[in-house]
Every structure is written in C-alpha cells, then in structure tokens.
Amino acid sequence: MKPNHLFHKLNHNHQLPRSLLFLFKTFSNLSSQSPSTSYHHHLISLISTTKTLKHLFQIHSQLAVSGFTQDTITNTHLIESYSFFKKINLARLVFNSTPNPSVILWNSIIKAHMKSNQHQEAIVLYNKMLKTDSFAAQPDKYTFTFLLKACTQLLDIEQGLLLHKEIVNRGLESDVFIGTGLVDLYCKCGDLVRARQVFDKMPHRDVVVWNAMVAGLSHSSDFAQAVEVIRSMQIRDGMEPNGVSLLNLFPAICKLSSVKLCKCVHGFVIRRNFPNAVVNGLIDVYFKCKRTDLAYRVFDLMQEPDDVSWGTLMAGFALNGCHYEVLELYDQMKNNRLKVNIVSVVSALSAAGETRDLEKGKMIHDCVKKNKFDSDIRVSTPLITMYAKCGELEKARDLFSRLSGKDMVAWSAVIAAFAQSGYPEEALSLFRDMQYAGFKPSTVTIIGIIPACAELCSNKLGKSLHCYAVKHNMSSEISIETSLVAMYAKSDEFASAMLVFDRMFYKEVVAWNALINRYAQIGEADLAFEMFCRLQLAEVEPDPGTAVGVVSAAAHLGDLNLGSSVHGLVTKYGFESDCNVNNALIDMYAKSRSLASAKLLFGLTKIRDQVLWNVMIGAYMRHGYGQESTFTFRQMKSKGFRPSLVSLVSVLPAIAYLAAVKEGSALHAEIIQTGYLSHTAVGNSLIDMYSKCGRVDYAESVFDEIDVKDTVSWNVMLAGYALNGHGDRAFAFFSIMQENLVEIDPVSFVSVLSACRHAGLVEEGKNVFRSMKEKHKIEPKLEHYACMVDLLGRAGLFDETLALIESMPMDPDAGVWGGLLGACQMHCNVKVGELALDNLVKLEPGNQAHYVVLSSIYAESGRWADAKSLRMKMVEMGIKKTPGYSWINEKQDLRALEG
C-alpha cells in the first residue's frame, strides 16, 4: 500500500496518532530529499482534524523542522487550531513570528481574538494593521465584518462610526455582510436612525439583514415599527420570514400585548411547520400577553415538546402567578421521567416558595443536587429564596454561606431575595455583610435593598442609600428612581417621594403605581384618583398594578356608582382577567355594600387563587354572613388550598361571630399543626374568638403562649375581660399593661371603660378617664364619652352625666344619647329620658328603638297616657315596631325555633 493511501485510510478512521507516526517515519526516511508538497498538504490536513492539543504541538514541531512555518496557509491553519483549543497566546505567537503577514493572516488573528471574547484586542490589532505599509495587509470586507461584530459586542459606537467611515472610503458599504454588521451595530447601540439609513441604502437585502432590523426595532422604544418591517419584508422584497425573523419579532408583540397579532403569527407558524424553537417562543408570547389558555393550547398540540417547551410553559405560568399549575407540571415531568432543565427547575423553586410548600421545595432541591445544578448561580439564588419564603432562614443562610465564589451578582440577588420574601431585617444584615466582605453596592444591590428600608420604615438608611446613589451617579437610573419613590411613599414621606418623582426624566408606570397604591392604602382616595388623572394626561399606559390601586381607592370610598365606573374603565383597558385586579374588584363591591356583585364576579372567576378565597371569606363576614364565611373557608380547603395567615385571620372573626367554639377549637388545632401559632396576628384572632365564644380561660391560655405580644394582643385580651363582664380582672389587667410599659392607646381605654361600666366600677372608671389626658396625653373620642355616659348613667349620677355631655369638645352622637336613654330606662328618669330622645330623634329620626325605650320608661313610671300618646305619634310618623325573633347556631345550621 502506498504511503499516501495509508495516510488517507488512517486519517479517515480518526486514528491521528498512528497516522502521525506513520507519516513522520515515512518522510524521515527521505532525508536526502527536500520535504515534498504532498507531505506539507498532509500535515495541514492533520491540523484541521486533530482532536488534542498534544497532537497539534507535534504537527507544529514537524512543520517547523520541515521549514513550512513561513507561509500564510500553514500559519492560518495553526492560528485557527490554537484558537479552537482556546490558546490565543500561542496563536498570537504564530502570528508574530510571521514576517509581513498578509490580510488573510491578519483576519485569522483578529477572528481568533473574537472567539476568545477579546474584542478590544481585535480592534487594537486592526489599528496596527492600518499602520503597515504592505499592500497585501490592507483590510478587506472580512476584516470589517469581524470588527463590526467586535464593536457590537463592546457597544462601542464611536469606533463603529470610524469603521463605517473607512468602509465608505473603501467602497464596501454595499456588501450585504458589512451592511448587516452595520445595521446590527447601530440597532444594538440604540441608534435606529443610522441603522435605518444603512438598511435603506443597501441594494440587496437578504433575510439576515431584515432580521437584524426587526431585532433592533423590537428592543427599542419604537417597537411597533418591527411589525411594519416584517410586512415590508414580504411585500417589498418578496422575502418570507424565517424562524429567526419571528423570534426577533416576538419581543415587540409582547410589548404591544397584542393577542390579535400573536394569533396571526400563530397561523403563519402552523402553516409552515416551524421547528420547536419558534413554537416555544410563541408559547412565551401568549404568556406575556396574559393568555395562559392559548399558551397551554399551543403546548398541548405540539407533536414532540422538548425540555425547552416544558421550561417555557412552567416559566409562563410562574410569570402569571399560576404557581400551583407550575408545581403540577413539575410533577408530570418527574412522573414521565422527562429531562428537567435550569428554567423548569427555577420556575418550580419559585412556585414552591410562593405557595410556601417546603416539602415540595425540598424535593426540587434533591433534583437540583442530582442534576448538579446547585453550583449555578441561576439556580442557587431561587433555591435560597424558596427556603427564605418558606421560613427556613437558617437553611437559606447556610446555602448562601456555602456558595463558592460569591460575586456582586450573587450578593445582590440574595439580598433582593430576602427583601422580597418578607425578611427585610435579614436583607439589611446581608447588605452589611456584603460591605464587610469588601463589595461596594451596585445599582442592582441598591434596587434590591431599598424595598427592605421601606418595609422597616428605616428612613435614615434609605436616605443614606439615596445619597450614595447621587454621589456615584446612579440616581438617574430609572429603576433606582422608581424604588426611591416607592420607599418614600411607603414611609408616607410624600414630599420626598414627589420630589424624586417630579425630577424623573422618564416616569415608568411602576413609579405612578407606587404613589397611587400608597394613597389608596392610607385612605387618601382623592389623591389616588388625582395621580391617576395625571398619569392619563401624561399619556402613560396603565397596567394591572394601576388598576388595583384605582379600584382599591374606590373601595375605600365605598361609593358603588364610582366603583361601577372604575369597573367599566378596567374592562376598557382589558385588565379584568388579571387575577389581582379581579380580586380588587370583588373586594371593592363587598366594601361598597354590593355583596351580590361580589358573589357574581366570584362565581364567574374560573381560576381562583388564595387571595380571592380570602377576599370572599372577609366579604361575607363584613356583611354579617358568618355562616357563609366559614362555608367558603371550608370550600377553599376542599379545593386543595392550605389556609394562609390571611385566611385564618379572616375566618376567625366569623367563627367568633357565630360563637362556634367547637369549630374554633378544631381550627386552633389545625393552626398549631401548620405552625401559624407563632404569628402574633393569628394569636390575637384566637384570643378574640375565644373571648366572643365566652371561653375566657382558653383566651388566657393563647395569650400566655404568644411569644411576641404587641399592643393588639393586650387590647384584645383586655376587651375579652370587658366583654364577658370580668370588670375587676379587666381593671387589674389594665394595671399590668402599664407596669409592663405596654403602649396604651385609645382602644385600650375603650375596653377598660367598657369593663368598668359593666361592673359598676364608677370611681375606677372616673380615674381611668381622667388619666387619659393627664397621664397618657390622649384626647377622649366619642366612644370614650359614650362609655362614661353609660357608666355614670347606670350609677344614677345624671347631674354628672349631663355635665360631662355639656363639656364634650364635639357634638354628642347617637351612642352618647343612646347610652343616656338606656340609663334613664334603668332608673325610670322620665325628664332626662325625654331630653335624650329629643336629641336622638334629630340624629336618627327613623329608629323606632328609641321611642320604644321611652315608652317603656313612661309605662314603668305609671304614665300610661304618655306611653299611649308616644305610640300614637309613632303610628302617625309611620314608625313600626319590629317583631322580635331569636336564633341559635347548632351544628353549623340555622334553625328557626318553633312553639
């Protein structure tokens, strides 16, 4: 067999070491002859096919020994091969050892630097190339194609302009590859005017340059033009969009939120049978247009969905807050033994965190470790976030401490994770640790930590961060400005919030929402509507977050007509399908005395989340439908929802209202099992529930078990004693509160004064009332005066009672006069009773109860003629006495008493 034939056979079978050995031995025997051209060609062929760096070194050595290292072809192959093995220093050594390198060799070394992401060095080489006198080393169209890519990667528009000028001088502007590079450069640098000028001048445009133009417009503020370019591409040049065209167009469709346009593209995709990558992109667009149903339908119709399809589906559901659906999809993947990727794992971790499903989160963590994703920062951050949201702070901290190579990105991500998970103190602690580790806050860090300052009302640190941002020229960043507006608004420092807001060059809708929502939260509905009007005048497009704020403002006013108008506006904008907006609408109708409308919307809602169930539980209770409230709570659990903190705090008042102590005790046991007893708000609700069910002993046990008692805890227990007639215990408890330096507020005084009046503790009540102003500097309100009037009236001290009413700094309300009338009935005081009734008639002319009380006073005093006269007067006025009835709660059913 001839040597050449054997070489080809060995090379064909990828036996490079043997082929090298044979080749070297064969040609070393030809020592008396010069190395042949054939030998040279064989060595160059081996360079292109070698699989290891060691073999490349051997070939290079043989070339050097044979004297073949001075020609352009050999060195071009060597540079490309060293570049493939990421040995740019050796590629550069080959280039530097070549005298008078040609343009081909210059292009090779520039390309090698590009592959190594050394874009700036590629530009430096180009500048050196220009300084050479050799005609053979003048840049050609390939040189400029590589360099335009380098400028694009660096977003260096200044160097790009210089290249463009040189391209024009050399008459290369009409080249389609160079034109595409220029369009891509200008688009990615945000100069769409120049990009369009280059694009329009091109005599021949292929699909690649059209795609570059579409991509540039899709990511610009003029994203609607991307759609027009796609149309022109087909109409003007008769060119059909390919998969890349559609993928580049999708961001523009997302920004337009155009479901109609998305459906048009969908039809185009179906007719031409595009690959999975495009279909996956279509799924993503539907999700971003809030059409989860259509997104799932596209996925369901796919012949062979890949792991990217599953990941896109899960990420889309997570984006739309459908966290239970994400976890269900994750289970399907695991049951079908499908491959999970980073996107699907991250979505599943996010869903587990949002639903507080620690057990599921741990299962996903095991999957992460099995697939060795835990070292990837994209996975480790949501993993830490999941544990943080599930309350496993120590585990989250431990994972972060063991995270190797923590950089600024990792610190910023974890700080934001703790802040967003409801642990602002931990976020601030990590922020300090980051600084001790020698890292200076970046823009991302500041954006992540500012919400924690807002949550803790840490204005001092918040203002320090604001100063830091100003000092380091970050304050003009839109995200930081928006975060600062939200922080100041959350702290009710509206002067500072408006100062930052008014200075913003571009106001994102998020900044508007921060102000609108905060005004709504603190009850300043008029200011919320004023900001919304300003938003409309500024031609800023509202989003669902805006709608939530406006609807909440309408709910605060309780004006059904206004609420219905706002609902119409929400429908006009197309936000009604958003779950948060829908929940806000239902809450608004409930607060506007239209429970029927709230129930109707609730019934029409197909996908009900935890928040919606909580809203309806609270809505029924607000209207006095305790039975329906507890039924809705049980229905929520039957649908697979685990009661949240809000669910429990919403349903416990309903149980208290029904005095359903058995159901309350069962729920108490469930609260202990789920670990919610550690939450002070739940403990407070349990105290209130047991107190209203008459089980003060159980209420006391819960109070004693609360580790962190707030003012509400003490007040609720105090109210429990008062409600159940334990005046002495209430008064003693009030003294304990003061000894423990508990903050005494107006609510505390209402409870203790109420206890005093029920127990007849007149002197104690007088001392408490006097201490309000003298010791605690609290001005009595109407409810406090009502308690004192009732207390003094029950004791028969009518002169003192009338003197107290006369001294009131505000006009007495029906509660004050009603308390006096009740005391008059107790003591048969006709004269004062008539005075009380005269005032009550002015305040509540249609309330028959007051007339009935005075009639009873007349009757008990033997003044039958006056009693009859008063009843005749009631008939003349059209006031009828409502017949009495009674009811009981037994086994959750309302049964009318017979007999």
Side-chain angles (χ1 to χ4, degrees), residues 446 460-475 484 488:
I446 293 175
K460 187 176 179 181
L461 178 58
K463 288 176 180 177
S464 297
L465 288 168
H466 190 174
C467 293
Y468 180 89
V470 172
K471 184 179 177 182
H472 290 82
N473 298 319
M474 299 177 185
S475 58
L484 287 169
Y488 285 126

Side-chain angles (χ1 to χ4, degrees), residues 62-284:
Q62 189 64 26
L63 284 164
V65 169
S66 305
F68 292 132
T69 55
Q70 297 298 313
D71 67 288
T72 297
I73 295 174
T74 303
N75 286 353
T76 300
H77 280 83
L78 285 170
I79 288 170
E80 288 178 355
S81 295
Y82 280 127
S83 173
F84 174 79
F85 288 111
K86 301 188 185 305
K87 294 293 181 180
I88 188 65
N89 56 330
L90 297 177
R92 190 64 181 266
L93 193 65
V94 171
F95 176 78
N96 291 339
S97 65
T98 308
N100 301 318
S102 65
V103 66
I104 296 173
L105 212 58
W106 278 101
N107 288 346
S108 296
I109 194 63
I110 288 171
K111 184 180 176 184
H113 279 290
M114 291 285 296
K115 283 185 178 179
S116 299
N117 292 322
Q118 296 181 4
H119 308 296
Q120 193 61 53
E121 189 60 31
I123 293 170
V124 170
L125 279 167
Y126 163 72
N127 290 324
K128 287 182 179 178
M129 184 181 182
L130 290 178
K131 293 176 182 177
T132 60
D133 297 328
S134 172
F135 177 77
Q138 291 302 302
D140 61 10
K141 64 178 183 179
Y142 301 108
T143 317
F144 289 113
T145 302
F146 297 144
L147 290 166
L148 286 170
K149 287 181 181 177
C151 291
T152 303
Q153 290 295 323
L154 295 168
L155 298 179
D156 188 347
I157 196 166
E158 291 183 8
Q159 182 63 48
L161 288 168
L162 292 174
L163 285 173
H164 192 174
K165 185 179 179 181
E166 192 66 27
I167 287 165
V168 172
N169 291 338
R170 295 174 183 269
L172 297 172
E173 196 177 18
S174 61
D175 183 86
V176 68
F177 296 106
I178 289 178
T180 302
L182 284 167
V183 169
D184 191 41
L185 168 68
Y186 287 134
C187 282
K188 287 178 178 171
C189 288
D191 194 340
L192 292 175
V193 174
R194 283 195 173 93
R196 198 61 191 254
Q197 287 172 350
V198 173
F199 180 80
D200 290 338
K201 284 181 182 178
M202 292 178 69
H204 303 289
R205 287 184 288 266
D206 61 6
V207 71
V208 179
V209 74
W210 279 100
N211 291 348
M213 198 69 233
V214 171
L217 289 166
S218 287
H219 291 93
S220 73
S221 58
D222 197 15
F223 47 83
Q225 284 296 313
V227 181
E228 295 305 317
V229 168
I230 282 284
R231 287 176 181 150
S232 298
M233 176 182 180
Q234 299 172 82
I235 296 168
R236 195 167 72 182
D237 277 21
M239 194 169 292
E240 187 169 282
N242 61 14
V244 177
S245 313
L246 298 181
L247 290 170
N248 289 352
L249 179 66
F250 285 156
I253 299 176
C254 292
K255 290 175 184 177
L256 289 166
S257 295
S258 174
V259 178
K260 183 179 179 181
L261 185 57
C262 198
K263 287 180 177 179
C264 291
V265 175
H266 189 174
F268 186 84
V269 169
I270 291 172
R271 289 193 298 272
R272 284 157 183 79
N273 195 25
F274 278 100
N276 274 5
V278 177
V279 181
N280 295 339
L282 187 63
I283 294 170
D284 182 58

Side-chain angles (χ1 to χ4, degrees), residues 868-887:
K868 184 177 180 181
S869 175
L870 185 61
R871 288 186 181 274
M872 290 297 293
K873 186 179 179 181
M874 287 174 65
V875 172
E876 290 172 9
M877 294 173 66
I879 299 171
K880 294 182 180 180
K881 183 179 182 296
T882 305
Y885 67 93
S886 60
W887 61 274

